[in-house]
Amino acid sequence: HRAAEGYDVGVYFEANGHGTVLVKRERLGEWASVVEGRDERAYERLVAFLGIFNQTTGDALADLLATEAALKYLNMSFADWAALYTELPCRQTKVALPRWVLNRLQPHPEHEKTLTQPTELQASVDTAVSSLIAQHGDGYSARAFIRPSGTEDVCRLYVEATTAEGADRLSDELKAKISQFGAQMAKSVMK
């Protein structure tokens, strides 16, 4: 959300289904003066389209309505749109860790796709992902994110890969790495 606020029109999505389009309304007037006399109808359509979104709460039904409007404008069917995306097998899981360990996990403040701390845990994630990709060769895709939960004493893990087998393997490997990290942290405190 914070990153999207930095743009005149910012779009963001969250893994839990939330998200919306943020618009700096004051900039619409500036855009109007730029397009004045060129294509006023296009500007009116843009303003109407942007008005569909609920910037305060991120309304899923408004997002769906906007998607339908965009598809109609682009003369695309839902099937055409769906064909643009290939969903990769993914796994979402969690590893129980004490809160004091979770507090040491610092996700990147803008995107949460990597940990800024501890670097050794992020390196484990990067190595596991790179290794899986290298084993399968060109065209194989994989990625993984870990972050502390804000609501539970767990580390959340998201993994995706080109194959379900790869997603399972990567998930299992990273769950073990996260558990190892927690055990190492506990051991270091005991000394």
Side-chain angles (χ1 to χ4, degrees), residues 103-163:
N103 289 341
R104 288 176 166 72
L105 304 182
Q106 300 298 313
H108 192 286
E110 292 181 17
H111 53 66
E112 295 189 344
K113 292 180 184 175
T114 58
L115 292 176
T116 59
Q117 288 295 324
T119 55
E120 66 272 14
L121 185 55
Q122 183 59 51
S124 293
V125 172
D126 296 341
T127 299
V129 170
S130 296
S131 175
L132 181 65
I133 292 171
Q135 288 171 11
H136 288 85
D138 287 343
Y140 197 86
S141 176
R143 65 183 184 155
F145 314 124
I146 59 176
R147 68 172 181 83
S149 172
T151 57
E152 300 177 79
D153 287 345
V154 297
C155 177
R156 298 198 183 278
L157 169 63
Y158 174 84
V159 169
E160 67 182 30
T162 301
T163 63

Side-chain angles (χ1 to χ4, degrees), residues 9-127:
V9 176
V11 179
Y12 77 95
F13 299 98
E14 297 175 8
N16 61 8
H18 294 233
T20 192
V21 175
L22 303 177
V23 180
K24 291 184 180 170
R25 298 283 177 193
E26 66 276 8
R27 294 301 307 261
L28 291 179
E30 294 174 35
W31 297 349
S33 65
V34 171
V35 298
E36 189 173 329
R38 292 186 201 164
D39 191 351
E40 196 158 321
R41 182 81 175 117
Y43 173 75
E44 290 170 1
R45 279 194 298 265
L46 174 65
V47 170
F49 178 73
L50 294 174
I52 294 172
F53 299 99
N54 183 330
Q55 296 187 71
T56 305
T57 62
D59 182 344
L61 290 177
D63 293 350
L64 183 62
L65 178 61
T67 300
E68 182 70 28
L71 290 174
K72 182 164 180 59
Y73 180 79
L74 295 170
N75 197 27
M76 290 177 70
S77 69
F78 181 79
D80 296 334
W81 182 47
L84 297 174
Y85 174 73
T86 302
E87 186 171 359
L88 295 177
C90 67
R91 305 295 177 260
Q92 293 185 65
T93 190
K94 50 192 174 183
V95 177
L97 292 174
R99 178 54 52 189
W100 66 270
V101 173
L102 292 168
N103 289 341
R104 288 176 166 72
L105 304 182
Q106 300 298 313
H108 192 286
E110 292 181 17
H111 53 66
E112 295 189 344
K113 292 180 184 175
T114 58
L115 292 176
T116 59
Q117 288 295 324
T119 55
E120 66 272 14
L121 185 55
Q122 183 59 51
S124 293
V125 172
D126 296 341
T127 299

